[in-house]
């Protein structure tokens, strides 16, 4: 008995020692992170966005050239083609790191993005802002701020596209790391930030050779640093991006991302003293990999389904989950997939639907608390019967198809020009992906109220007839034409007709067409009534003539059944058909 008690006590003691040492170890590691010299720090799990460590994360600071991550993302949102050529004109002098662009040179968007993110070229930032701001860099910067706000960066304001010193150009470590996570989801950016260098040879568009080396030393350095008592290389093989930055006001900055054992992390280090940037960045990344694991809760291939839509063609939309759902959790924390439940939400289903559109979300709950919304992506298109019929009208067709054809034609021309270049295959891939990412946000052609009202099957049909009723009522209103022009149906028709027909005023078509239809209906009604009267009159005349004395058949010669048949024939004006006629009719069918 004493022996058993001794063994049990030893086990408890051992367990306490292990748990105690683990807690102490975690506490020591946290204390080590707190003592890092960098002023602003965020460590984020890429898959879930979960914050694993933060220091002064919500305090205002300057982002320096990490700004260019968001500049690149917003340029890609505006662009239609990665191979689009951009000519350098009216180039001002831009201080700091530069690609040394000169007036008259031409580069593709892909080449400029490579220079922006690999070499941190300030002049490229200006060129992109001017080009995608339609000649005004300020318009593009406003777009950068609008997009940042959409993605939750509420404490950020960009005032230039490159991050040069400006008191009105600021963010927080939390916002900048969040925006970097969003930008990294773009395949073009993901590929570029992993490049160690990029070169451009002199040709008819480029005045001299350029070799640009990535400013991220995690990717390119041959130097060493002191790290936890050892002298190790700065270059870190698991790091595959993202972007550096430096100004006197911002200090040394680096947003870095790395993947290990299925875990991808993003670390944001800002205002690091000289010599601390790569030491602090590696410290937080290693802390994340040492203490956290990623578990895949939902696999997207397991969540393919069909959504039935009433009064639509086709009546079924196939969908798939946009991505897997993974959870990053402490290695010491117990984890069970049973804690997670899910619920489908199709509130985002707006007709018509095109392949690639988001039609809903799969809401994921952990113990009843909503933790994620994963997009459900359509694998085929569908439209309501009303939209299908509308597409046959000359002013009801969607402009998007013709725009897409133009884009495809221009893309093919560009691809032919670039076919001899090594980067063409990658450019085509990135171009397709950037197009697919912008598919879900293109339904802007109809007035907002009318689009929402007619978008969904039965509801759309009833709303449409309601609009027609309002339109007709407004015709007889005392205010006359003013009331008609305020009607949503009028606005919709006016916009559609103007986009298709320019030689006849849209007002004449809109007001003239209903009158013409009413006139046709009246003529049709008059014709039906006239035919009815004519037929009745001719029937009476015929019956009267048939009752003349000469034509009366003696009653005894006619059977009752024959009388009945004759009466029915006369009543319904039935014409007898002989057998030959029946055979001919069958042949025609």
């Amino acid at each position: 008995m004493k022996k058993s008690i001794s063994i049990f006590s030893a086990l408890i003691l051992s367990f306490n020692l292990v748990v105690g040492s683990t807690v102490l170890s975690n506490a020591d590691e946290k204390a080590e992170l707190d003592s890092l010299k960098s002023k602003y720090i965020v460590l984020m799990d890429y898959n879930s966005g979960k914050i694993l460590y933060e220091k002064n994360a919500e305090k205002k600071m300057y982002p320096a050239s990490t700004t260019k991550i968001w500049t690149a993302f917003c340029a890609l949102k505006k662009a239609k083609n990665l191979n689009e050529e951009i000519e350098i004109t009216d180039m001002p002098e831009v201080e700091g790191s530069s690609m040394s662009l000169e007036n008259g040179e031409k580069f593709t968007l892909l080449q400029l993005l490579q220079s922006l993110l690999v070499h941190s070229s300030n002049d490229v930032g200006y060129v992109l802002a001017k080009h995608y701001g339609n000649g005004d860099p300020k318009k593009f910067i406003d777009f950068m701020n609008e997009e940042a706000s959409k993605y939750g960066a509420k404490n950020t304001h960009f005032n230039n596209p490159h991050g040069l010193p400006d008191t009105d150009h600021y963010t927080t470590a939390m916002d900048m790391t969040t925006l970097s996570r969003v930008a990294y989801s773009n395949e073009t950016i993901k590929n570029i930030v992993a490049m160690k260098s990029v070169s451009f040879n002199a040709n008819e568009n480029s005045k001299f050779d350029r070799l640009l080396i990535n400013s991220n030393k995690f990717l390119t350095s041959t130097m060493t640093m002191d790290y936890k008592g050892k002298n190790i290389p700065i270059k870190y093989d698991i790091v595959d991006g993202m972007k550096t930055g430096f100004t006197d006001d911002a200090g040394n900055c680096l947003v870095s991302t790395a993947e290990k054992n299925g875990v991808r992390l993003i670390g944001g280090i800002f205002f690091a003293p000289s010599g601390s940037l790569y030491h602090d960045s590696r410290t937080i990344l290693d802390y994340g990999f040492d203490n956290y694991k990623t578990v895949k809760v939902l696999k997207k291939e397991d969540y393919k389904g069909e959504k039935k839509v009433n009064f639509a063609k086709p009546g079924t939309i196939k969908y798939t989950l946009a991505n897997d759902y993974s959870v990053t959790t402490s290695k010491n924390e117990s984890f069970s997939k049973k804690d997670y439940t899910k619920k489908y939400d199709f509130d985002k289903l707006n007709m018509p639907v095109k392949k690639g559109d988001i039609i809903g979300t799969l809401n994921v709950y952990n113990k009843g608390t909503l933790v994620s919304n994963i997009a459900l992506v359509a694998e085929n298109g569908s439209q309501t019967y009303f939209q299908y019929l509308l597409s046959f009208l000359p002013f009801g067709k969607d402009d998007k198809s013709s725009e897409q054809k133009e884009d495809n034609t221009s893309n093919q021309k560009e691809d032919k020009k670039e076919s001899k270049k090594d980067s063409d295959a990658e450019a085509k891939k990135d171009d397709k992906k950037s197009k697919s990412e912008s598919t879900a946000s293109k339904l802007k052609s109809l007035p907002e109220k009318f689009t929402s009202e007619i978008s969904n099957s039965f509801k759309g049909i009833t709303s449409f007839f309601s609009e027609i009723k309002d339109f007709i009522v407004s015709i007889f209103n005392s205010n006359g034409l003013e009331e008609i022009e305020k009607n949503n149906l009028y606005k919709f028709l006016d916009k559609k007709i103007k986009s298709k027909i320019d030689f006849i005023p849209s007002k004449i078509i809109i007001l003239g067409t209903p009158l013409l239809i009413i006139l046709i209906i009246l003529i049709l009604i008059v014709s039906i009534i006239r035919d009815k009267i004519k037929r009745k009159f001719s029937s009476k005349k015929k019956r009267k003539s048939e009752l003349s004395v000469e034509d009366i058949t003696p009653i005894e010669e006619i059977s009752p059944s024959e009388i009945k048949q004759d009466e029915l024939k006369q009543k319904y004006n039935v014409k007898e058909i002989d057998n030959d006629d029946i055979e001919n009719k069958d042949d025609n069918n």
Side-chain angles (χ1 to χ4, degrees):
M1 184 70 177
K2 286 182 178 179
K3 190 175 181 181
S4 298
I5 292 169
S6 299
I7 293 168
F8 182 69
S9 300
L11 287 171
I12 290 173
L13 183 61
S14 301
F15 177 77
N16 287 334
L17 286 171
V18 169
V19 172
S21 63
T22 302
V23 172
L24 189 62
S25 173
N26 288 343
D28 288 345
E29 282 186 303
K30 195 87 184 301
E32 183 185 359
L33 296 182
D34 292 340
S35 67
L36 293 175
K37 294 178 181 178
S38 298
K39 193 171 182 181
Y40 312 99
I41 302 174
V42 167
L43 177 65
M44 181 183 288
D45 169 51
Y46 172 76
N47 288 315
S48 65
K50 182 178 179 179
I51 304 302
L52 308 182
Y53 176 78
E54 60 180 287
K55 176 182 174 183
N56 297 325
E58 302 287 358
K59 291 189 176 179
K60 177 181 171 180
M61 52 132 215
Y62 301 114
S65 284
T66 59
T67 300
K68 291 165 186 159
I69 296 170
W70 200 240
T71 302
F73 180 76
C74 291
L76 284 167
K77 274 209 151 191
K78 288 275 191 181
K80 291 181 180 177
N81 184 1
L82 277 171
N83 290 323
E84 176 189 1
E85 271 193 347
I86 297 174
E87 184 174 358
I88 312 305
T89 57
D90 301 323
M91 188 69 207
E93 187 176 338
V94 182
E95 61 181 281
S97 57
S98 168
M99 186 181 172
S100 302
L101 292 169
E102 294 189 7
N103 289 328
E105 289 189 304
K106 294 178 183 177
F107 293 91
T108 66
L109 170 61
L110 179 62
Q111 290 172 327
L112 291 175
L113 288 173
Q114 288 170 342
S115 178
L116 180 79
L117 295 173
V118 171
H119 185 61
S120 196
S121 304
N122 293 332
D123 50 355
V124 172
Y126 172 82
V127 167
L128 291 176
K130 180 185 173 186
H131 182 77
Y132 291 109
N134 296 321
D136 183 358
K138 181 70 172 62
K139 287 181 181 176
F140 179 77
I141 294 159
D142 289 342
F143 177 70
M144 288 174 65
N145 286 315
E146 287 166 14
E147 288 298 300
S149 181
K150 279 184 194 176
Y151 288 99
K154 303 298 183 186
N155 299 308
T156 294
H157 183 267
F158 296 112
N159 216 34
N160 62 57
H162 35 58
L164 285 171
D166 188 325
T167 53
D168 217 18
H169 186 92
Y170 57 83
T171 185
T172 65
M174 185 68 75
D175 280 2
M176 201 65 235
T177 309
T178 299
L179 295 179
S180 299
R181 176 180 175 242
V182 172
Y184 193 74
S185 66
N186 183 287
E187 287 295 320
T188 300
I189 291 175
K190 186 182 289 186
N191 292 333
I192 293 173
V193 295
M195 297 173 71
K196 295 178 181 178
S197 65
V198 62
S199 61
F200 307 114
N201 296 326
N203 54 38
E204 66 274 12
N205 291 327
S206 178
K207 294 183 179 179
F208 52 89
D209 292 342
R210 291 171 170 91
L211 174 63
L212 309 175
I213 308 298
N214 200 315
S215 55
N216 187 348
K217 291 182 181 179
F218 272 148
L219 301 176
T220 59
S221 181
T222 56
M223 300 171 67
T224 60
M225 66 176 177
D226 181 59
Y227 182 69
K228 296 186 178 180
K230 294 180 181 178
N231 199 37
I232 64 166
I234 293 176
K235 189 173 180 292
Y236 199 14
D237 290 336
I238 64 171
V239 173
D240 48 12
M242 288 186 64
K243 185 75 193 71
T244 59
F246 172 78
T247 65
D248 289 337
D249 291 327
N252 292 287
C253 306
L254 175 63
V255 176
S256 53
T257 182
E259 187 173 23
K260 184 178 178 182
N261 298 328
V263 179
R264 176 168 289 281
L265 303 175
I266 293 184
I269 296 286
F270 302 92
F271 206 91
S274 180
S276 298
L277 183 64
Y278 292 94
H279 171 275
D280 291 2
S281 294
R282 176 153 184 170
T283 300
I284 64 167
L285 289 173
D286 286 350
Y287 166 79
F289 291 128
D290 290 344
N291 292 282
Y292 291 89
K293 63 182 177 182
T294 294
V295 181
K296 197 171 283 186
V297 179
L298 304 176
K299 294 179 183 177
K300 68 176 184 177
E301 56 266 26
D302 295 338
Y303 290 88
K304 292 190 174 185
E306 295 182 349
K307 172 66 177 170
K308 290 190 176 181
V309 186
N310 295 326
F311 308 104
K313 176 182 169 64
T316 301
I317 302 171
K318 294 182 179 179
Y319 61 82
T320 185
L321 209 57
N323 51 266
D324 299 331
Y325 176 65
S326 300
V327 173
T328 296
T329 181
S330 170
K331 287 182 178 179
N332 301 319
E333 188 180 332
S334 60
F335 178 85
S336 175
K337 289 184 182 180
K338 292 178 182 178
D339 293 336
Y340 290 84
T341 54
K342 52 208 173 292
K343 183 181 177 183
Y344 288 93
D345 178 1
F346 289 100
D347 285 348
K348 291 186 179 181
L349 177 55
N350 290 316
M351 304 295 282
V353 168
K354 290 187 178 179
K355 184 179 178 180
D357 283 356
I358 295 171
I359 65 167
T361 57
L362 182 68
N363 299 331
V364 184
Y365 299 84
N366 181 14
K367 295 178 180 177
T369 302
L370 182 66
V371 290
S372 183
N373 308 102
I374 308 171
L376 299 171
V377 183
E379 293 190 317
N380 64 282
S382 178
Q383 57 187 330
T384 63
Y385 287 128
F386 172 74
Q387 289 160 344
Y388 176 70
L389 292 172
L390 189 66
S391 68
F392 288 99
L393 298 176
F395 50 81
K397 288 177 184 173
D398 200 351
D399 294 333
K400 291 171 201 167
S401 56
S402 59
E403 282 175 14
Q404 235 169 2
K405 281 179 186 173
E406 285 174 16
D407 287 347
N408 291 340
T409 307
S410 64
N411 289 353
Q412 284 168 6
K413 286 178 184 176
E414 293 291 347
D415 288 342
K416 282 178 186 175
K417 285 181 188 176
E418 299 289 327
S419 60
K420 292 181 183 179
K421 296 186 179 181
D422 293 336
S423 62
D424 185 51
E426 182 184 309
K428 283 181 191 174
K429 256 188 218 173
D430 292 336
D431 190 26
K432 284 177 186 175
K433 284 174 183 172
S434 63
K435 279 185 179 181
S436 68
E437 288 170 3
S438 64
T439 308
S441 60
K442 285 187 175 180
L443 187 62
K444 292 180 181 174
S445 59
L446 303 179
E448 226 174 280
K449 184 180 174 185
F450 192 71
T451 304
S452 63
E453 285 180 355
I454 68 166
S455 61
N456 291 316
S457 41
F458 182 69
K459 190 199 248 181
I461 293 169
T462 54
S463 296
F464 176 67
F465 281 113
S466 174
E467 289 292 345
I468 290 175
K469 182 199 77 176
D470 293 343
F471 179 72
I472 292 167
V473 169
S474 63
I475 292 173
F476 301 101
N477 195 289
S478 58
N479 292 332
L481 197 58
E482 286 180 18
E483 285 296 319
I484 295 170
E485 290 176 352
K486 288 177 185 176
N487 183 270
N488 291 311
L489 178 59
Y490 181 91
K491 291 176 185 175
F492 162 68
L493 294 171
D494 182 55
K495 187 167 185 178
K496 278 293 179 183
I497 292 169
K498 279 179 179 175
S499 68
K500 298 288 179 183
I501 302 169
D502 54 2
F503 55 90
I504 301 174
S506 62
K507 196 176 289 185
I508 291 174
I509 296 173
I510 295 168
L511 298 177
T513 302
L515 293 173
L516 185 62
I517 292 168
I518 292 166
L519 185 61
I520 291 167
I521 292 169
L522 286 172
I523 292 169
L524 187 62
I525 292 168
V526 169
S527 300
I528 291 167
I529 294 169
R530 185 193 65 185
D531 290 345
K532 187 84 174 169
I533 294 168
K534 196 175 178 182
R535 196 160 49 245
K536 200 164 184 180
F537 181 76
S538 64
S539 177
K540 279 182 180 179
K541 196 174 180 181
K542 189 177 178 184
R543 196 179 293 173
K544 198 172 181 182
S545 65
E546 284 173 350
L547 288 172
S548 62
V549 176
E550 294 83 10
D551 296 333
I552 296 176
T553 309
I555 202 159
E556 62 270 11
E557 292 180 12
I558 303 171
S559 69
S561 62
E562 286 175 329
I563 292 170
K564 231 175 210 182
Q565 286 176 5
D566 282 344
E567 284 177 354
L568 289 169
K569 285 175 187 174
Q570 284 181 6
K571 185 177 180 182
Y572 295 103
N573 198 22
V574 176
K575 184 182 176 185
E576 287 195 15
I577 303 170
D578 61 28
N579 291 332
D580 291 336
D581 289 336
I582 293 169
E583 286 172 10
N584 291 334
K585 193 171 183 182
D586 289 340
D587 289 341
N588 290 332
N589 289 338

